[in-house]
Amino acid sequence: MNDLSGGLGARAIAAREAPYLDILNTAQREAVEALEGPVLMLAGAGTGKTRALTTRVAHLINTGHARPNEILAVTFTNKAAREMKSRVGGLLGTVVEGMPWLGTFHGTSARILRRHAELVGLQPNFTILDTDDQLRLLKQVLQANDVDTKRFPARHLAGIIDRWKNRAWDPGKVPEAEAAKYDDRAGKLYADYQRRLRTLNAADFGDLLLHVLRILKEHGDVLARYQRWFRYILVDEYQDTNVAQYLWLRLLASSHRNVCCVGDDDQSIYGWRGAEVGNILRFEVDFPGARVVRLERNYRSTQHILSAASAIISNNLHRLGKTLWTDAGDGEKVRLIGHFGSDDEAAWVGDEIVAFQDGLGGRDGISPDDVAVLVRTTFQMRAFEDRFLKIGLPYRVIGGPRFYERMEVRDAIAYLRLAVSPEDSLAFERIVNIPRRGVGSKSVRFMFEVAREKDISLREAARRLVDDGAFTAPARRALRVLLGYIDQWHAQTREGADPHVILAARILDESGYTHHWQQSKELEAPGRLENLKELVKSLEQFENLQGFLDHVALVTDNEQETGEPRVSLMTLHAAKGLEFPVVFLPGWEDGLFPLQRSLDEGGLAALEEERRLGYVGITRAERHCFVSFTTGRFVNGEWRRGVPSRFIDELPEDDVEILSDPGLYGGGYAPTRSSADRSSGLGPDSSTHSQIDTPGWRRASERLPVSGRPRVDTSVSTRVVVVDGSAYKVGERVFHQKFGYGQVLVIEGGNIRVAFEKSSEKTIRADYLESAPPARP
DNA sequence: CCTCATATACTTTTT
DNA sequence: GTATATGAGG
């Protein structure tokens, strides 16, 4: 079994005193000390979940129940895994040489799969495809099936396949009722795609889990080994697990049932990605006799913030229910303010942050590090970035574009991938003509055809064609050289004669890639060379190229260099698990938050998920929480009016302080308050209170003219969609600004397929359409 | 074979 | 408004 130890030597740990237990509250302590048997820890926001979880790990090790490498701990994100690692280390005092089996579902799966790849028809050096590769491959599959990628985009197919994989459905195992929801070619395309993946010796994200699942199901001996090896299993964010992950866990835990799942149904925000809240709701059925521990004491936020969050979430019907409490005192109320556009909103947030920094308005000086701006969608970030840049406020975007996504880095990685797995056709395709080798699209297409026909890799196809004397002479010569190098590099990765860092540098040199940028006159060329250097240097942290490539494929978060304090800017999703003294929640407008698009897709369930997002947002705040909305904003270069979010209606008056002039809600005049006014205007304001007392938010927002936003009834009719009180029906005549008049063909949620009279058939979002009188004969 | 211009969609969230 | 994709022209 030593092959599972991840290089960690056996280590006998004698039971010692456990001082770390003393700082836990009763519930936490119960969850930590119940080491044997199934435990479900229902941990509300800010209730010390991570503390309980990490203490439990430390306790397992410290009491000699398990060695660090015998504990399987799975998290949802890399960030969480890192956090757990460092905190367990801190608790144990001694530096435990890591926990090899603490990681994300995907990372852990990849690790297991590398050991047993052959059982599912892969070689151990299989490539993990990132989203980009996946899309390119899907596009090829679509084209090979003569599907018009305009009408059936690769993204769409990716979404379907993803959904199916989340539920652990192999091709051919997709239930008919499910398959019927989509284009009837989807099933075959899925099967083709899987076939291609196998040919390419590649796995996508979903495959990592599914392949392991299949191995565990079909090979009892392998399953038994892992069951024996992983003596204790811990799962973080259990509410986020999908069916495939659930099955994966249940198999591994089924023998000893020493499984501890931690989660909060109120923070389930990944339903759209296949997460099944049902998993957490069903835990006691799956593991009879499970001990359920509720962590309800909140250590993070003050009372007003907690009450506001609780009030919002209480509108959800489907929840286990928890009552969070705190003795941190009332604190500040949640502040609510409206603006006239995203720029105003961003300007106001910027000013507030500066005021905080300077300790104005009776506030302590607060560092930008303590402030977060949490948005619903990424496009909202732009206004804030622009503004922060303008006023010189340092910020960091969490989850923004990543190092590994830069073009030159991806190119370089493609070369490394080819060295590790020469059959990686997607990598081959990427670099076959970079730097330019005179191999143009015509040659590439030729190779593709042969590869597909013979079901071989691109590199193999290229080799045969070169041998047969195909291509132009220069292309042939260049390809021969490239193919020779690939063989050579691959051999060298296996020999391991040179350290992988040296080898990588040589690959980039011999391929001519470094030279390509050295020669380039592009403005960014020096920067790109710099990035390549950084890339090679970062290889030092890994044991070998394979390890590095897995990391690149699986680790998508970018911890920014620390340094000067910065405001954090991120989506609500990215904020889960984080906390900040000051939190801004902009863009609370119906349509944006809750997001119309998700409502269109998911109806009432989606509305509840949006509400949970709001709950997550508010509960990130420790002391100051600001909610804001605008009366309109530019979307797609078009001005759109906005109505305060229905979630604003759900905020209890007692916990909210209104900073806006009442006029904003009636859609009337513009309040022109200077930023000085605003930052000092934190006290109660009688005129605004009368506003909320009498008409109420609901009526205020109902009064507002609603234009341009489809108010789709969530009971979801597919035949009628209502916009501004006007209904569209199939067959009706409509008007579009750009395409003119047309006839409604199909209605899919907020999208309408229209046959235009002077243009082609197009799917248009309902809010771009207007009703038109029937055409006169 | 590459660059430029035009058209078109696209804005949910991510391992 | 912006990013991407495709097609025409150099």
Side-chain angles (χ1 to χ4, degrees), chain A residues 158-195:
Chain A
I160 295 171
I161 292 177
D162 200 42
R163 233 160 293 168
W164 290 349
K165 287 189 173 178
N166 284 335
R167 295 186 205 161
W169 289 327
D170 288 323
K173 298 277 179 60
V174 180
E176 280 194 22
E178 170 72 16
K181 289 186 196 165
Y182 308 100
D183 189 295
D184 52 10
R185 291 166 293 187
K188 171 169 194 301
L189 291 167
Y190 179 23
D192 274 12
Y193 170 64
Q194 290 306 111
R195 218 169 295 129

Side-chain angles (χ1 to χ4, degrees), chain A residues 403-627:
Chain A
F403 180 70
Y404 296 129
E405 279 171 10
R406 289 165 217 230
M407 183 232 291
E408 67 279 14
V409 176
R410 289 187 57 91
D411 287 342
I413 287 171
Y415 273 107
L416 302 184
R417 270 166 56 172
L418 271 178
V420 173
S421 23
E423 312 303 325
D424 187 334
S425 295
L426 291 156
F428 189 90
E429 180 197 353
R430 184 176 180 97
I431 53 81
V432 68
N433 201 32
I434 299 178
R436 296 207 178 106
R437 299 188 168 90
V439 185
S441 62
K442 220 173 98 197
S443 311
V444 173
R445 211 172 313 137
F446 195 20
M447 285 187 266
F448 261 113
E449 268 164 38
V450 173
R452 198 171 68 218
E453 213 171 277
K454 305 234 157 64
D455 204 26
I456 52 178
S457 68
L458 266 187
R459 171 245 207 178
E460 184 58 29
R463 184 196 308 282
R464 290 188 198 177
L465 286 168
V466 166
D467 288 346
D468 293 349
F471 310 123
T472 60
R476 197 163 56 235
R477 203 174 313 122
L479 278 172
R480 195 173 281 133
V481 172
L482 178 64
L483 289 167
Y485 270 132
I486 292 174
D487 288 341
Q488 212 177 305
W489 297 330
H490 183 55
Q492 284 162 357
T493 58
R494 315 194 74 151
E495 288 159 12
D498 289 318
H500 63 284
V501 182
I502 308 277
L503 177 58
R506 196 166 66 229
I507 291 172
L508 296 185
D509 282 342
E510 289 176 344
S511 63
Y513 194 66
T514 317
H515 186 69
H516 163 69
W517 286 114
Q518 281 166 345
Q519 266 201 329
S520 165
K521 290 187 192 71
E522 258 184 57
L523 203 62
E524 302 104 274
R528 295 192 195 274
L529 278 168
E530 208 46 51
N531 287 336
L532 289 177
K533 255 193 219 149
E534 199 181 318
L535 175 77
V536 172
K537 195 162 179 331
S538 72
L539 279 164
E540 287 168 10
Q541 300 164 34
F542 299 89
E543 264 176 56
N544 49 42
L545 285 183
Q546 182 73 260
F548 168 76
L549 292 174
D550 281 0
H551 172 86
V552 170
L554 292 168
V555 176
T556 54
D557 56 3
N558 51 342
E559 272 306 280
Q560 290 229 356
E561 77 296 347
T562 42
E564 75 175 322
R566 292 161 187 277
V567 171
S568 298
L569 183 54
M570 70 190 97
T571 62
L572 286 164
H573 284 87
K576 192 163 70 155
L578 306 179
E579 57 188 3
F580 300 88
V582 183
V583 168
F584 289 89
L585 301 168
W588 280 42
E589 295 128 51
D590 251 39
L592 181 59
F593 183 59
L595 193 69
Q596 188 60 47
R597 204 174 151 133
S598 69
L599 264 40
D600 288 348
E601 278 166 27
L604 195 61
L607 177 64
E608 295 212 341
E609 183 152 312
E610 295 284 310
R611 191 176 276 120
R612 291 194 289 269
L613 265 178
Y615 174 78
V616 167
I618 294 176
T619 53
R620 298 310 96 195
E622 293 169 1
R623 286 150 54 197
H624 300 274
C625 181
F626 297 86
V627 171

Side-chain angles (χ1 to χ4, degrees), chain A residues 748-767:
Chain A
E748 304 152 327
N751 294 323
I752 300 188
R753 188 140 190 95
V754 180
F756 287 102
E757 287 158 19
K758 296 199 171 138
S759 186
S760 58
E761 218 175 277
K762 290 179 172 54
T763 303
I764 302 281
R765 283 184 52 174
D767 33 351

Side-chain angles (χ1 to χ4, degrees), chain A residues 24 124 135 149 169 193 207 223 245 263 288-289 401 444 523 547 601 662 671 686 708 729:
Chain A
L24 301 178
L135 285 177
T149 51
W169 289 327
Y193 170 64
D207 283 346
L223 174 63
Q245 288 158 338
V444 173
L523 203 62
E601 278 166 27
S686 59
K729 289 198 270 293

Side-chain angles (χ1 to χ4, degrees), chain A residues 61-279:
Chain A
I61 297 171
N62 206 36
T63 54
H65 279 75
R67 288 173 292 172
N69 56 355
E70 291 168 335
I71 298 171
L72 172 67
V74 276
T75 63
F76 200 61
T77 65
N78 295 293
K79 200 164 58 188
R82 248 196 330 266
E83 163 104 9
M84 250 177 97
K85 260 187 193 171
S86 87
R87 284 176 67 169
V88 170
L91 278 173
L92 288 173
T94 56
V95 181
V96 176
E97 260 309 303
M99 293 187 37
W101 297 103
L102 194 170
T104 62
F105 274 101
H106 291 86
T108 305
S109 293
R111 205 182 151 98
I112 293 176
L113 189 55
R114 289 255 179 248
R115 294 162 192 270
H116 311 283
E118 72 289 350
L119 295 180
V120 287
L122 291 172
Q123 296 151 39
N125 65 348
F126 66 85
T127 305
I128 300 171
L129 297 193
D130 60 24
T131 317
D132 195 65
D133 295 321
Q134 192 195 14
L135 285 177
R136 277 192 295 151
L137 184 57
L138 284 170
K139 200 167 171 189
Q140 290 167 22
V141 171
L142 284 164
Q143 280 163 348
N145 280 277
D146 287 319
V147 178
D148 179 5
T149 51
K150 273 251 165 77
R151 297 201 54 175
F152 194 167
R155 301 186 148 280
H156 186 214
L157 181 58
I160 295 171
I161 292 177
D162 200 42
R163 233 160 293 168
W164 290 349
K165 287 189 173 178
N166 284 335
R167 295 186 205 161
W169 289 327
D170 288 323
K173 298 277 179 60
V174 180
E176 280 194 22
E178 170 72 16
K181 289 186 196 165
Y182 308 100
D183 189 295
D184 52 10
R185 291 166 293 187
K188 171 169 194 301
L189 291 167
Y190 179 23
D192 274 12
Y193 170 64
Q194 290 306 111
R195 218 169 295 129
R196 285 294 293 155
L197 281 173
R198 194 148 306 174
T199 311
L200 297 175
N201 190 32
D204 65 15
F205 286 134
D207 283 346
L208 296 175
L209 287 158
L210 289 195
H211 285 322
V212 169
L213 194 56
R214 197 161 132 218
I215 291 168
L216 296 179
K217 263 198 286 201
E218 292 176 2
H219 299 270
D221 53 324
V222 179
L223 174 63
R225 276 166 63 195
Y226 282 101
Q227 285 176 336
R228 237 177 296 128
W229 184 260
F230 298 136
R231 300 164 62 93
Y232 293 88
I233 299 177
L234 293 94
V235 188
D236 193 15
E237 307 282 15
Y238 190 58
Q239 76 283 352
D240 286 336
T241 50
N242 61 31
V243 172
Q245 288 158 338
Y246 164 75
L247 294 171
W248 187 104
L249 272 172
R250 208 179 54 175
L251 276 172
L252 287 173
S254 61
S255 58
H256 50 60
R257 307 198 324 142
N258 288 328
V259 56
C260 173
C261 292
V262 187
D264 178 1
D265 51 315
D266 289 334
Q267 293 185 67
S268 164
I269 55 176
Y270 285 103
W272 52 274
R273 220 170 100 184
E276 297 273 338
V277 202
N279 291 344

